Amino acid sequence: MERKSYPTDLTDMEWEILAPLIPPAKEGGHPPTTDMGEICNAIYFHLKTGCQWNMLPGDFPPRSTVYSYYSKWQGQGVWEKFNHTLGGQVRSKLGKSTQPIALAADSQSVNTDQKKGMCMVLTDVKT
């Protein structure tokens, strides 16, 4: 039986980009029995809708499995790796360096020895 599709589901192109960023299963253990794309789809559904883990639709993998991967990937920095990689690809498509080279700071968020209200803004330079 095929699962209902949700607006939060990854497209095939999105999955092609994200799949290589997912950590491989531990060597010597049981091979994964759950589709990692479905795990991602369930996590994105949870994040987008704000539903509780125990209220994930029943056609996703078991909520305990989904939450386990979410938590493990959070500890391993997988989400940061996703954001870094995807952000770099977007910047590249815009003709910019994959790494931002700009800094924006204001006196509200950075301590300085300058007068109150000093503002420093550097713009992104196309390289």
Side-chain angles (χ1 to χ4, degrees):
M1 181 172 123
E2 196 165 312
R3 176 178 75 72
K4 171 186 173 187
S5 70
Y6 296 97
T8 55
D9 285 353
L10 293 168
T11 65
D12 291 340
M13 188 185 316
E14 290 168 334
W15 178 239
E16 261 183 56
I17 294 167
L18 294 181
L21 302 176
I22 293 176
K26 289 182 182 178
E27 287 187 34
H30 291 286
T33 57
T34 306
D35 178 357
M36 291 297 112
E38 286 300 294
I39 294 291
C40 288
N41 285 334
I43 290 170
Y44 291 137
F45 181 90
H46 163 76
L47 294 173
K48 183 67 174 176
T49 65
C51 76
Q52 297 173 348
W53 288 108
N54 65 349
M55 296 189 77
L56 279 175
D59 49 358
F60 282 125
R63 67 180 180 252
S64 59
T65 303
V66 174
Y67 179 77
S68 174
Y69 277 102
Y70 172 80
S71 180
K72 180 170 56 170
W73 291 347
Q74 189 172 28
Q76 294 174 342
V78 173
W79 301 116
E80 288 83 5
K81 190 162 69 169
F82 279 8
N83 287 331
H84 179 75
T85 300
L86 296 175
Q89 288 181 4
V90 168
R91 292 181 59 80
S92 181
K93 283 189 178 192
L94 293 173
K96 297 181 179 185
S97 168
T98 57
Q99 296 296 315
I101 55 173
L103 168 72
D106 65 29
S107 64
Q108 297 296 315
S109 59
V110 177
N111 292 328
T112 69
D113 59 356
Q114 301 294 325
K115 289 189 335 184
K116 212 173 196 185
M118 177 70 173
C119 180
M120 173 177 52
V121 177
L122 301 175
T123 58
D124 198 345
V125 178
K126 189 173 181 181
T127 57

